């Protein structure tokens, strides 16, 4: 092995170690391993959008979606918050990708999809 090959191998090894250390620090600090809590992988940390009214009878309109790109509880919360930020909605998401959006008024599927995309996820099925 030549000197330049050894140098390249050394640089790659150092980069791998640095990435691993960053990952371990993030997870040990209570962060998400996928990076959804700090905008990793093109995702945006979505501001918490609490839902005061959780009475399903107040939400006559329902839209069921399948969302891709969620890999942890933080991702689920991001998707829910992105949808709950829309007036009159209450969304519940599962890590499987199943998302139910309830609305007090008719739901705009395009607006829901846009909110999900803005958070860094994608709709597999409307």
């Amino acid at each position: 092995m030549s000197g330049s090959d050894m140098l390249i191998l050394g640089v790659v090894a150092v980069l791998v170690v640095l990435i691993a250390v960053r990952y371990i620090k993030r997870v040990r600090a209570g962060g998400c391993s996928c990076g959804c809590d700090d905008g990793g992988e093109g995702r945006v940390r979505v501001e918490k959008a609490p839902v005061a009214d959780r009475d399903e009878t107040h939400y006559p309109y329902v839209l069921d979606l399948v969302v891709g790109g969620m890999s942890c509880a933080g991702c689920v919360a991001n998707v829910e918050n992105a949808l709950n930020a829309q007036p009159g909605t209450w969304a519940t998401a599962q890590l499987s990708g199943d998302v139910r959006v309830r609305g007090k008024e008719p739901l705009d599927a395009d607006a829901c999809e846009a909110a999900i995309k803005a958070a860094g996820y994608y709709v597999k099925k409307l």
Side-chain angles (χ1 to χ4, degrees):
M1 203 180 263
S2 72
S4 62
D5 289 342
M6 294 288 284
L7 180 62
I8 291 171
L9 185 59
V11 169
V12 169
V14 168
L15 288 174
V16 168
V17 168
L18 290 174
I19 291 168
V21 167
R22 180 176 173 213
Y23 171 83
I24 291 167
K25 281 183 178 180
R26 180 179 20 191
V27 172
R28 284 195 176 166
C32 174
S33 62
C34 73
C36 70
D37 58 348
D38 63 1
E41 297 183 23
R43 296 188 179 109
V44 176
R45 184 178 182 102
V46 180
E47 190 73 29
K48 187 166 177 74
V51 176
D53 182 5
R54 292 184 179 259
D55 183 345
E56 289 187 31
T57 61
H58 296 166
Y59 297 89
Y61 302 96
V62 175
L63 177 63
D64 289 318
L65 308 168
V66 179
V67 175
M70 295 189 298
S71 59
C72 72
C75 294
V76 169
N78 275 342
V79 168
E80 288 178 347
N81 289 328
L83 292 165
N84 290 341
Q86 297 181 46
T89 62
W90 172 27
T92 52
Q94 306 296 320
L95 194 53
S96 64
D98 296 327
V99 177
R100 174 160 281 183
V101 186
R102 297 169 187 84
K104 292 184 176 185
E105 301 293 329
L107 295 162
D108 181 351
D110 292 334
C112 290
E113 185 172 7
I116 291 166
K117 285 183 178 179
Y121 304 90
Y122 58 96
V123 176
K124 290 182 177 178
K125 178 179 154 191
L126 284 172

